[in-house]
Amino acid sequence: MPNFSPDNFKLHKRLEEDSVLITELDLCLVLLINDANYPWTILVPKRATSTDIYKLEQKDQIQLLQESNSLSNAMESAFKPDKLNVAAIGNVVPQLHVHHIARYKTDIAWPSPVWGFAKAMPYDSAELERTISLLCNALHA
Amino acid sequence: MPNFSPDNFKLHKRLEEDSVLITELDLCLVLLINDANYPWTILVPKRATSTDIYKLEQKDQIQLLQESNSLSNAMESAFKPDKLNVAAIGNVVPQLHVHHIARYKTDIAWPSPVWGFAKAMPYDSAELERTISLLCNALHA
């Protein structure tokens, strides 16, 4: 994956390993976690040292909020979930990343949060292509 | 707990049972979850039908962001955590509530998220009073 400027930002190795790049917004990368158990995306601000939303500069916070809105609406439109879970945890990977997870009352972890619940189930190539396409179209609608 | 106006807002019964009111901000109630395992607060926008951040009106989203910043900074100042976890899940309680949890590398659940990890351990009255006082002072500093 390329080294995204500005600010010498480089995606954390663990996030890179676990995900596929969907698109790049003004502030954030949009990544899809390679886990077919749930449509699960993350926003990663392209800021080299960011760890927490409240530590970002104010203009970046507002931009992150707008991009989170866009992604949330796109996920609702693309995946019709029963609930969207939005979270900045970061206990394992310190680089700021904001989870957006489409949840269903029928999914494997419901109603628990997804972290640590089930082993990731990688997409097969057709399902991955379909999921990326759905999300991209919704993001750019 | 009183019925907080405007908008016929009423705190969800489950949130009321699990928490103590710390203070009321312009948009949100600040509640402390009665679990001494971690300093754990939630912001609840006083909007009767809110379920998700991205579904709030834009001005409420900005206000929520500001109040989340204030609470995050207060928690950092009061509790000196190793990491703050911020999350809107809502699979069980649909009323929008945003968790702010001070985490330590030595806490019972680290590095897992807290939900569903350990049974809540209610504060004793002295520790509850001390925690509320620390948080209130930091919020109003």
Side-chain angles (χ1 to χ4, degrees):
Chain A
M1 193 174 279
N3 185 353
F4 295 93
S5 291
D7 188 18
N8 292 321
F9 168 80
K10 190 173 185 309
L11 185 63
H12 189 286
K13 190 167 179 293
R14 173 70 182 273
L15 297 179
E16 186 173 342
E17 286 168 357
D18 291 350
S19 73
V20 176
L21 177 66
I22 301 295
T23 192
E24 191 177 348
L25 304 176
D26 284 351
L27 177 63
C28 296
L29 305 183
V30 183
L31 308 175
L32 177 73
I33 297 287
N34 190 11
D35 182 353
N37 284 312
Y38 340 81
W40 180 348
T41 62
I42 54 178
L43 285 180
V44 184
K46 292 171 281 183
R47 295 288 179 259
T49 58
S50 66
T51 57
D52 293 88
I53 296 170
Y54 73 101
K55 293 178 181 170
L56 290 174
E57 289 180 24
Q58 191 178 14
K59 70 175 177 48
D60 283 349
Q61 291 190 27
I62 301 286
Q63 184 65 28
L64 176 57
L65 180 64
Q66 288 172 350
E67 294 182 5
S68 175
N69 273 351
S70 298
L71 180 58
S72 298
N73 281 308
M75 290 189 72
E76 174 162 304
S77 166
F79 304 120
K80 309 276 187 286
D82 293 315
K83 187 71 185 75
L84 202 66
N85 296 167
V86 177
I89 310 285
N91 300 343
V92 176
V93 172
Q95 182 174 69
L96 177 57
H97 57 289
V98 185
H99 301 271
H100 292 68
I101 310 157
R103 303 296 309 276
Y104 301 90
K105 291 177 180 173
T106 53
D107 74 35
I108 191 171
W110 183 271
S112 297
V114 302
W115 301 279
F117 194 94
K119 196 172 176 326
M121 186 171 73
Y123 287 96
D124 67 34
S125 58
E127 192 61 18
L128 182 61
E129 194 177 321
R130 182 178 157 275
T131 303
I132 291 173
S133 167
L134 269 173
L135 188 57
C136 265
N137 288 338
L139 263 172
H140 297 117
Chain B
M1 193 172 281
N3 185 353
F4 295 91
S5 291
D7 188 19
N8 293 320
F9 168 79
K10 192 173 183 308
L11 185 62
H12 190 284
K13 191 168 178 294
R14 173 70 182 272
L15 297 179
E16 186 173 344
E17 286 168 357
D18 292 349
S19 72
V20 177
L21 178 66
I22 301 294
T23 191
E24 189 177 349
L25 305 175
D26 284 352
L27 177 62
C28 295
L29 305 183
V30 183
L31 307 175
L32 177 73
I33 298 287
N34 190 13
D35 182 354
N37 285 312
Y38 340 81
W40 179 348
T41 62
I42 54 178
L43 284 181
V44 184
K46 292 171 282 183
R47 295 288 179 258
T49 58
S50 66
T51 57
D52 293 88
I53 296 170
Y54 73 101
K55 292 178 181 170
L56 290 173
E57 289 180 24
Q58 191 178 13
K59 71 175 176 49
D60 284 348
Q61 290 190 26
I62 300 286
Q63 184 65 27
L64 176 57
L65 179 64
Q66 288 172 350
E67 295 182 5
S68 176
N69 274 350
S70 299
L71 180 58
S72 297
N73 281 307
M75 291 188 73
E76 174 161 307
S77 166
F79 304 119
K80 310 276 188 285
D82 293 313
K83 187 71 186 74
L84 203 65
N85 296 166
V86 177
I89 311 284
N91 299 344
V92 176
V93 172
Q95 181 175 69
L96 177 58
H97 57 290
V98 185
H99 302 271
H100 293 66
I101 310 158
R103 302 297 309 277
Y104 301 90
K105 291 176 182 175
T106 53
D107 74 35
I108 191 171
W110 184 271
S112 297
V114 301
W115 300 279
F117 195 94
K119 196 172 176 327
M121 185 170 73
Y123 287 96
D124 66 34
S125 60
E127 191 62 16
L128 182 61
E129 195 176 320
R130 181 179 158 275
T131 303
I132 291 173
S133 169
L134 270 173
L135 188 57
C136 266
N137 288 338
L139 263 171
H140 298 115

